[in-house]
Amino acid sequence: MKKVINNDTFWAFIFIFPSLLGILIFNFIPTLSSFYISFTKWNLLGNPQFVGFKNYISLFSDPLFYKVLYQTFIFVFCTVFIEVILSIFIAVLLNSLIIGKTFFRTIYFLPVITSMIAGSILWNWIFDPAYGFLNYFLSFIGIEKISWLADENWALFSIILVSIWKNIGYSTVLIVAGLQTIPNECIEASKIDGASKYQTFFKIVLPLLSPTIFMVTIVSFINSFQTFDSVYILTSGGPKNSTNIMVYWLYKNAFEYYNMGKASAIAYVLFFIILLFTLIQWNIRKKWVFYEK
Amino acid sequence: MGFLRKINFISYFLLTIGSILMFLPFLLMIALAFSPYEKSLTYPPILIPSDVTINNFKEVMTSNNFFRYFFNSLVVSLFTTFGQIITCSMAAYAFARLEFKFKNHIFLLFLSTMMIPTQVNLVPLFSMMHKLGWINTYFALIIPGLFSAFGIFLMRQYYITLPKELEESAKIDGCNQWKIFWKIFFPLSLPSIVTLSIFSFITSWNSFLWPLLVINSDYLKTLPVALASFKSSFREVINWSLIMAGTLISVIPSLLIFIFGQKYFISGITTGSVKD
């Protein structure tokens, strides 16, 4: 008995058991069964019927699929690109402060901890064509009232704007942490060598920061691909599907049309895209990440 | 020196403008939540309420099950947080301090679930809840959230930094692993526990898609689901003042937690990303 109790394996099993069970049941097995469901026809009631690649074939021959895919890409690329550039800018400014760093950081971080539902409701009001603040603000520079959420040309842009507002604080905090790992000697040395502020930034700081920027980009990519709440609240995918992006479409197919097979196929396409992006970024990392431990 | 001061002035100036833009939605929310309904239909929009009223708060709390939604969110978030502290710290301890077969394989399996977008699991999880009869119960809201690979990773990062002497001396005193963990390591990991708690509480408090799927009955709605349905049920004539009052209340708990636990939250975000 004593031997058993002293045995690490025994105790490790006890300690890991709850998490192992939970993660297997609620994460691992659903991921596998989702893969199976994507090859079936199923409306949630009764048993799934195996149909082979039919869901994938119908997906790839559906014009809406390409529209959704295209919009998802536009949404993700714009969000991530603007978010990362702006957060580098904000982080550098924040890092240069002597007092008030925490204050400003808190303000920029507020949207991150606010629920996307609350955030979307706030923006819904700002986007209001008649009484909203955005149109009021733009009226000063002579821009006429825009129906942000009801206009096909502006709806996706509006969703992008909300996403950037929501996530920029998160990227900024990561980049500030990255900036703090840059040894001061590097910056001092470049100053002594007579480099200007801009030269120091582009030739020293940015290359040393590239691992962090790389990581932030991947995280934002993965998060943006999974956007749902803001679309649900602000546009419900409309007008004319112009803000219908992958997770929202998945939700529609599963829980409004009860087409579980197609929904799971969409889920796996999404999974595959995210995986592909992560892998591509890992591979090109060598080209634009200059410094790594 | 003059140059430095100029740079700093520009930094403050730009950051202030940015902050105003970031805070503006909150400001508009506060202004509207404290204004009578008619004010939401004025143009230009109000930034500072002229006749402050708390009627919106009174109305939102009495006209529907608002207390109930708040209570539901609180119960779900607290149970989820508590559960994650227990399950994650236990597993993390094993991965950090114990030697056993397939340790790295299991750890990798756990981490790999973090790479999978949660939406992939949605359909099977929903059908699982359906089969278990958990739709419209607290079980569906709480149980799948009790486990977290991220939490295990976070806690493990802390446990591996603690000195080896801790368990050696405890072993000499005749403690078994169970005691070593609960009496020594668990209390020592308080900073990480706080970080994990803030994370899981805020995530759970803000979560929307899962509660939206598994809850239909009004009585079990969490705040985000309730707010979303407010918005759509008032679609004919949206009473923005009322919605903003509800939204403001919903934002307060996570805001307070963040303001007091900011240090821990930021450290949690940067764990394993920058510092590694």
Side-chain angles (χ1 to χ4, degrees):
Chain A
M1 192 62 195
K2 199 163 174 88
K3 205 181 165 199
V4 173
I5 284 172
N6 285 331
N7 193 337
D8 267 11
T9 307
F10 170 76
W11 285 111
F13 179 74
I14 300 280
F15 283 121
I16 288 180
F17 185 71
S19 289
L20 189 63
L21 199 67
I23 287 176
L24 280 181
I25 293 177
F26 298 119
N27 286 92
F28 205 73
I29 294 171
T31 304
L32 295 180
S33 53
S34 184
F35 187 65
Y36 172 71
I37 294 168
S38 76
F39 292 98
T40 65
K41 187 177 155 60
W42 189 33
N43 63 0
L44 210 59
L45 305 164
N47 288 324
Q49 270 179 295
F50 189 81
V51 292
F53 282 95
K54 215 172 160 190
N55 289 318
Y56 289 95
I57 292 166
S58 84
L59 202 62
F60 286 107
S61 52
D62 184 353
L64 187 55
F65 171 72
Y66 294 99
K67 188 174 165 64
V68 168
L69 201 62
Y70 172 73
Q71 280 162 187
T72 309
F73 278 119
I74 297 280
F75 167 78
V76 169
F77 277 105
C78 292
T79 307
V80 174
F81 184 74
I82 301 171
E83 186 191 313
V84 172
I85 301 279
L86 278 178
S87 59
I88 293 171
F89 188 66
I90 297 167
V92 170
L93 291 179
L94 269 179
N95 211 36
S96 75
L97 298 189
I98 298 154
I99 47 166
K101 219 183 222 177
T102 315
F103 170 76
F104 280 115
R105 190 184 65 187
T106 309
I107 301 274
Y108 284 92
F109 207 77
L110 282 183
V112 179
I113 45 145
T114 308
S115 72
M116 195 50 160
I117 295 305
S120 303
I121 289 175
L122 304 188
W123 278 93
N124 203 164
W125 170 240
I126 292 174
F127 286 136
D128 190 285
Y131 305 108
F133 192 83
L134 191 56
N135 276 342
Y136 171 65
F137 184 75
L138 291 176
S139 71
F140 288 112
I141 44 174
I143 293 174
E144 275 181 43
K145 286 185 175 173
I146 297 170
S147 315
W148 296 99
L149 302 171
D151 186 330
E152 247 183 287
N153 301 313
W154 289 106
L156 193 62
F157 171 82
S158 308
I159 304 279
I160 291 172
L161 198 63
V162 177
S163 281
I164 294 168
W165 172 80
K166 175 82 167 77
N167 299 323
I168 199 162
Y170 187 84
S171 310
T172 305
V173 162
L174 289 174
I175 292 175
V176 168
L179 278 172
Q180 280 159 0
T181 62
I182 295 176
N184 229 345
E185 301 90 69
C186 296
I187 294 160
E188 292 301 320
S190 80
K191 275 183 192 157
I192 291 165
D193 289 347
S196 73
K197 273 263 166 192
Y198 297 99
Q199 279 172 328
T200 310
F201 178 73
F202 284 106
K203 298 271 157 77
I204 309 287
V205 176
L206 216 50
L208 286 174
L209 198 61
S210 54
T212 310
I213 297 174
F214 159 74
M215 198 275 306
V216 170
T217 312
I218 286 199
V219 172
S220 323
F221 255 106
I222 294 173
N223 287 341
S224 301
F225 268 113
Q226 302 182 42
T227 302
F228 170 80
D229 299 7
S230 52
V231 176
Y232 182 91
I233 291 287
L234 292 170
T235 60
S236 310
K240 291 183 196 157
N241 281 316
S242 64
T243 55
N244 201 344
I245 55 178
M246 282 194 89
V247 174
Y248 188 77
W249 201 42
L250 186 162
Y251 162 82
K252 278 277 218 195
N253 275 288
F255 300 101
E256 272 181 32
Y257 315 143
Y258 292 100
N259 197 340
M260 298 299 163
K262 192 176 174 189
S264 297
I266 298 170
Y268 260 85
V269 171
L270 177 77
F271 181 24
F272 182 73
I273 291 171
I274 292 178
L275 199 70
L276 202 67
F277 266 92
T278 317
L279 290 177
I280 290 172
Q281 291 184 78
W282 273 106
N283 281 321
I284 61 169
R285 178 181 63 134
K286 293 181 196 95
K287 284 186 185 150
W288 57 282
V289 170
F290 293 90
Y291 162 85
E292 242 167 334
K293 279 173 212 164
Chain B
M1 199 59 204
F3 179 67
L4 191 75
R5 231 184 243 158
K6 198 173 123 204
I7 288 292
N8 235 320
F9 171 73
I10 294 171
S11 300
Y12 280 111
F13 179 71
L14 291 175
L15 283 173
T16 306
I17 291 187
S19 306
I20 292 170
L21 292 177
M22 294 300 282
F23 196 72
L24 195 72
F26 294 106
L27 196 68
L28 290 162
M29 164 180 76
I30 296 165
L32 216 53
F34 285 101
S35 298
Y37 166 65
E38 305 84 60
K39 288 282 173 177
S40 65
L41 301 175
T42 54
Y43 189 84
I46 40 162
L47 271 174
I48 295 142
S50 48
D51 35 0
V52 176
T53 168
I54 53 162
N55 281 343
N56 296 317
F57 294 94
K58 276 186 196 158
E59 201 183 328
V60 86
M61 283 190 221
T62 51
S63 66
N64 43 53
N65 292 324
F66 201 81
F67 271 116
R68 182 69 203 194
Y69 308 142
F70 196 91
F71 175 77
N72 292 337
S73 271
L74 201 64
V75 167
V76 171
S77 304
L78 286 178
F79 270 97
T80 306
T81 306
F82 185 72
Q84 280 194 15
I85 292 172
I86 305 292
T87 61
C88 294
S89 64
M90 277 171 65
Y93 174 76
F95 285 122
R97 313 298 295 203
L98 300 176
E99 284 309 321
F100 56 97
K101 251 191 178 176
F102 305 123
K103 177 166 130 174
N104 293 332
H105 295 95
I106 299 173
F107 191 58
L108 215 64
L109 177 87
F110 280 18
L111 288 188
S112 71
T113 61
M114 277 165 73
M115 310 281 282
I116 294 155
T118 49
Q119 294 83 8
V120 172
N121 300 340
L122 230 43
V123 168
L125 265 183
F126 180 82
S127 120
M128 192 191 291
M129 298 296 123
H130 193 73
K131 278 180 190 142
L132 288 167
W134 284 2
I135 299 293
N136 272 324
T137 63
Y138 276 133
F139 291 123
L141 290 172
I142 295 169
I143 309 248
L146 294 179
F147 316 94
S148 161
F150 166 75
I152 295 172
F153 177 72
L154 188 83
M155 296 296 292
R156 177 186 167 271
Q157 293 300 89
Y158 190 79
Y159 284 129
I160 49 176
T161 63
L162 297 174
K164 191 100 188 106
E165 290 79 37
L166 279 173
E167 63 249 66
E168 278 168 3
S169 59
K171 265 183 195 161
I172 292 163
D173 291 344
C175 289
N176 61 26
Q177 288 292 351
W178 186 255
K179 269 192 181 154
I180 295 176
F181 172 67
W182 288 109
K183 293 263 152 96
I184 302 171
F185 280 85
F186 187 73
L188 273 176
S189 63
L190 192 67
S192 274
I193 291 172
V194 174
T195 305
L196 177 61
S197 309
I198 295 174
F199 256 97
S200 51
F201 187 90
I202 292 183
T203 310
S204 174
W205 185 265
N206 290 345
S207 86
F208 174 66
L209 182 50
W210 182 245
L212 175 75
L213 296 182
V214 294
I215 297 300
N216 312 312
S217 104
D218 190 57
Y219 220 53
L220 281 164
K221 277 178 183 166
T222 57
L223 270 176
V225 179
L227 285 174
S229 62
F230 272 13
K231 209 217 114 203
S232 44
S233 65
F234 291 146
R235 196 156 263 168
E236 296 305 309
V237 233
I238 298 179
N239 186 338
W240 281 106
S241 300
L242 215 57
I243 291 180
M244 289 303 174
T247 308
L248 182 62
I249 297 171
S250 84
V251 168
I252 288 171
S254 51
L255 219 64
L256 286 179
I257 287 175
F258 172 68
I259 288 169
F260 289 111
Q262 199 179 142
K263 193 180 89 187
Y264 296 100
F265 196 87
I266 303 286
S267 87
I269 286 181
T270 50
T271 298
S273 54
V274 181
K275 281 187 231 155
D276 194 29

Short mmCIF file of all heavy atoms in Angstrom, two decimals, chain A residues 34 38 56 59 246 250 260-274, chain B residues 117-123:
data_model
loop_
_atom_site.label_atom_id
_atom_site.label_comp_id
_atom_site.label_asym_id
_atom_site.label_seq_id
_atom_site.Cartn_x
_atom_site.Cartn_y
_atom_site.Cartn_z
N SER A 34 -17.37 15.95 -34.66
CA SER A 34 -17.70 17.00 -35.62
C SER A 34 -17.17 16.62 -37.01
O SER A 34 -17.84 16.87 -38.02
CB SER A 34 -17.09 18.31 -35.15
OG SER A 34 -17.44 19.35 -35.99
N SER A 38 -19.55 15.97 -40.30
CA SER A 38 -19.42 16.70 -41.57
C SER A 38 -19.57 15.79 -42.78
O SER A 38 -19.71 16.27 -43.90
CB SER A 38 -18.08 17.44 -41.60
OG SER A 38 -17.03 16.55 -41.86
N TYR A 56 -19.35 18.60 -48.39
CA TYR A 56 -18.23 19.41 -48.88
C TYR A 56 -18.45 19.80 -50.33
O TYR A 56 -18.17 20.94 -50.72
CB TYR A 56 -16.91 18.65 -48.70
CG TYR A 56 -16.50 18.54 -47.25
CD1 TYR A 56 -16.82 17.40 -46.51
CD2 TYR A 56 -15.80 19.56 -46.62
CE1 TYR A 56 -16.45 17.31 -45.18
CE2 TYR A 56 -15.42 19.47 -45.29
CZ TYR A 56 -15.75 18.34 -44.57
OH TYR A 56 -15.39 18.26 -43.26
N LEU A 59 -21.00 22.42 -50.48
CA LEU A 59 -20.40 23.65 -49.95
C LEU A 59 -19.59 24.36 -51.02
O LEU A 59 -19.75 25.55 -51.28
CB LEU A 59 -19.50 23.28 -48.77
CG LEU A 59 -19.17 24.36 -47.76
CD1 LEU A 59 -20.44 24.86 -47.09
CD2 LEU A 59 -18.21 23.81 -46.71
N MET A 246 -17.85 33.49 -41.61
CA MET A 246 -17.92 32.03 -41.44
C MET A 246 -18.63 31.53 -40.19
O MET A 246 -19.48 30.66 -40.27
CB MET A 246 -16.52 31.44 -41.55
CG MET A 246 -16.10 31.36 -43.00
SD MET A 246 -14.68 30.32 -43.22
CE MET A 246 -15.45 28.75 -43.43
N LEU A 250 -22.01 29.41 -40.06
CA LEU A 250 -22.02 28.11 -39.39
C LEU A 250 -23.20 28.04 -38.42
O LEU A 250 -23.97 27.08 -38.41
CB LEU A 250 -20.69 27.94 -38.64
CG LEU A 250 -20.33 26.63 -37.94
CD1 LEU A 250 -18.82 26.63 -37.70
CD2 LEU A 250 -21.01 26.40 -36.63
N MET A 260 -26.89 20.08 -39.73
CA MET A 260 -25.70 19.85 -38.92
C MET A 260 -24.49 19.40 -39.74
O MET A 260 -23.36 19.75 -39.45
CB MET A 260 -25.99 18.80 -37.84
CG MET A 260 -27.07 19.23 -36.88
SD MET A 260 -26.61 20.73 -35.99
CE MET A 260 -28.18 21.26 -35.36
N GLY A 261 -24.78 18.60 -40.78
CA GLY A 261 -23.69 18.12 -41.63
C GLY A 261 -22.97 19.28 -42.31
O GLY A 261 -21.75 19.39 -42.26
N LYS A 262 -23.74 20.17 -42.90
CA LYS A 262 -23.15 21.31 -43.59
C LYS A 262 -22.43 22.22 -42.59
O LYS A 262 -21.32 22.69 -42.86
CB LYS A 262 -24.25 22.08 -44.33
CG LYS A 262 -23.69 23.10 -45.31
CD LYS A 262 -24.81 23.78 -46.08
CE LYS A 262 -24.26 24.89 -46.96
NZ LYS A 262 -25.33 25.70 -47.55
N ALA A 263 -23.07 22.43 -41.42
CA ALA A 263 -22.45 23.28 -40.40
C ALA A 263 -21.08 22.71 -39.99
O ALA A 263 -20.10 23.45 -39.84
CB ALA A 263 -23.36 23.40 -39.20
N SER A 264 -21.04 21.40 -39.80
CA SER A 264 -19.77 20.79 -39.39
C SER A 264 -18.73 20.87 -40.50
O SER A 264 -17.53 21.04 -40.23
CB SER A 264 -19.98 19.33 -39.00
OG SER A 264 -20.84 19.27 -37.89
N ALA A 265 -19.20 20.76 -41.75
CA ALA A 265 -18.27 20.93 -42.87
C ALA A 265 -17.69 22.35 -42.86
O ALA A 265 -16.48 22.54 -43.04
CB ALA A 265 -18.97 20.64 -44.19
N ILE A 266 -18.55 23.34 -42.61
CA ILE A 266 -18.07 24.73 -42.51
C ILE A 266 -17.06 24.84 -41.37
O ILE A 266 -16.01 25.46 -41.50
CB ILE A 266 -19.24 25.71 -42.28
CG1 ILE A 266 -20.22 25.67 -43.46
CG2 ILE A 266 -18.73 27.13 -42.07
CD1 ILE A 266 -21.51 26.42 -43.20
N ALA A 267 -17.39 24.20 -40.25
CA ALA A 267 -16.49 24.26 -39.09
C ALA A 267 -15.12 23.71 -39.46
O ALA A 267 -14.08 24.29 -39.09
CB ALA A 267 -17.09 23.46 -37.93
N TYR A 268 -15.12 22.60 -40.21
CA TYR A 268 -13.82 22.01 -40.56
C TYR A 268 -13.07 22.83 -41.60
O TYR A 268 -11.84 22.89 -41.58
CB TYR A 268 -13.96 20.54 -40.94
CG TYR A 268 -13.55 19.71 -39.75
CD1 TYR A 268 -14.46 19.41 -38.75
CD2 TYR A 268 -12.23 19.32 -39.56
CE1 TYR A 268 -14.08 18.73 -37.61
CE2 TYR A 268 -11.83 18.64 -38.42
CZ TYR A 268 -12.76 18.34 -37.45
OH TYR A 268 -12.36 17.70 -36.32
N VAL A 269 -13.80 23.47 -42.50
CA VAL A 269 -13.14 24.39 -43.44
C VAL A 269 -12.48 25.52 -42.65
O VAL A 269 -11.32 25.88 -42.87
CB VAL A 269 -14.13 24.93 -44.49
CG1 VAL A 269 -13.49 26.04 -45.32
CG2 VAL A 269 -14.60 23.81 -45.40
N LEU A 270 -13.21 26.04 -41.68
CA LEU A 270 -12.69 27.12 -40.83
C LEU A 270 -11.43 26.65 -40.08
O LEU A 270 -10.41 27.34 -40.06
CB LEU A 270 -13.76 27.54 -39.82
CG LEU A 270 -13.35 28.60 -38.81
CD1 LEU A 270 -13.33 29.98 -39.46
CD2 LEU A 270 -14.29 28.63 -37.61
N PHE A 271 -11.55 25.48 -39.51
CA PHE A 271 -10.44 24.89 -38.78
C PHE A 271 -9.21 24.75 -39.69
O PHE A 271 -8.10 25.13 -39.34
CB PHE A 271 -10.89 23.52 -38.24
CG PHE A 271 -9.86 22.79 -37.43
CD1 PHE A 271 -8.84 23.47 -36.79
CD2 PHE A 271 -9.95 21.41 -37.29
CE1 PHE A 271 -7.89 22.78 -36.02
CE2 PHE A 271 -9.01 20.72 -36.54
CZ PHE A 271 -7.98 21.41 -35.92
N PHE A 272 -9.48 24.24 -40.88
CA PHE A 272 -8.40 24.03 -41.84
C PHE A 272 -7.74 25.36 -42.22
O PHE A 272 -6.51 25.46 -42.29
CB PHE A 272 -8.96 23.32 -43.08
CG PHE A 272 -7.92 23.01 -44.10
CD1 PHE A 272 -7.00 22.00 -43.89
CD2 PHE A 272 -7.86 23.73 -45.29
CE1 PHE A 272 -6.03 21.72 -44.83
CE2 PHE A 272 -6.89 23.46 -46.24
CZ PHE A 272 -5.97 22.45 -46.01
N ILE A 273 -8.56 26.39 -42.44
CA ILE A 273 -8.01 27.70 -42.82
C ILE A 273 -7.14 28.26 -41.69
O ILE A 273 -6.03 28.73 -41.92
CB ILE A 273 -9.15 28.69 -43.15
CG1 ILE A 273 -9.85 28.27 -44.44
CG2 ILE A 273 -8.61 30.10 -43.30
CD1 ILE A 273 -11.11 29.05 -44.73
N ILE A 274 -7.65 28.16 -40.47
CA ILE A 274 -6.88 28.67 -39.34
C ILE A 274 -5.56 27.92 -39.20
O ILE A 274 -4.50 28.52 -39.00
CB ILE A 274 -7.71 28.58 -38.03
CG1 ILE A 274 -8.88 29.57 -38.10
CG2 ILE A 274 -6.85 28.87 -36.81
CD1 ILE A 274 -9.79 29.54 -36.90
N PRO B 117 -10.59 25.83 -32.95
CA PRO B 117 -11.60 26.84 -32.69
C PRO B 117 -12.81 26.21 -32.01
O PRO B 117 -13.25 25.12 -32.41
CB PRO B 117 -11.96 27.37 -34.08
CG PRO B 117 -11.26 26.52 -35.06
CD PRO B 117 -10.24 25.71 -34.37
N THR B 118 -13.34 26.89 -31.00
CA THR B 118 -14.43 26.30 -30.22
C THR B 118 -15.66 26.00 -31.07
O THR B 118 -16.43 25.11 -30.75
CB THR B 118 -14.86 27.24 -29.07
OG1 THR B 118 -15.05 28.55 -29.61
CG2 THR B 118 -13.83 27.29 -27.98
N GLN B 119 -15.81 26.75 -32.18
CA GLN B 119 -16.99 26.56 -33.01
C GLN B 119 -17.03 25.16 -33.64
O GLN B 119 -18.10 24.67 -33.97
CB GLN B 119 -17.04 27.61 -34.13
CG GLN B 119 -17.24 29.01 -33.64
CD GLN B 119 -15.95 29.67 -33.19
OE1 GLN B 119 -14.87 29.13 -33.40
NE2 GLN B 119 -16.05 30.83 -32.57
N VAL B 120 -15.86 24.55 -33.78
CA VAL B 120 -15.81 23.19 -34.35
C VAL B 120 -16.59 22.23 -33.46
O VAL B 120 -17.22 21.30 -33.93
CB VAL B 120 -14.34 22.75 -34.53
CG1 VAL B 120 -14.26 21.29 -34.93
CG2 VAL B 120 -13.64 23.61 -35.57
N ASN B 121 -16.55 22.46 -32.15
CA ASN B 121 -17.18 21.54 -31.21
C ASN B 121 -18.66 21.82 -30.94
O ASN B 121 -19.31 21.06 -30.24
CB ASN B 121 -16.44 21.58 -29.88
CG ASN B 121 -14.98 21.18 -30.03
OD1 ASN B 121 -14.62 20.55 -31.01
ND2 ASN B 121 -14.16 21.55 -29.08
N LEU B 122 -19.13 22.91 -31.49
CA LEU B 122 -20.46 23.40 -31.14
C LEU B 122 -21.58 22.37 -31.36
O LEU B 122 -22.35 22.10 -30.45
CB LEU B 122 -20.75 24.66 -31.96
CG LEU B 122 -21.25 25.89 -31.23
CD1 LEU B 122 -20.50 26.13 -29.95
CD2 LEU B 122 -21.17 27.10 -32.13
N VAL B 123 -21.62 21.81 -32.57
CA VAL B 123 -22.72 20.91 -32.92
C VAL B 123 -22.71 19.65 -32.06
O VAL B 123 -23.72 19.33 -31.42
CB VAL B 123 -22.71 20.59 -34.44
CG1 VAL B 123 -23.66 19.45 -34.75
CG2 VAL B 123 -23.08 21.84 -35.24
#
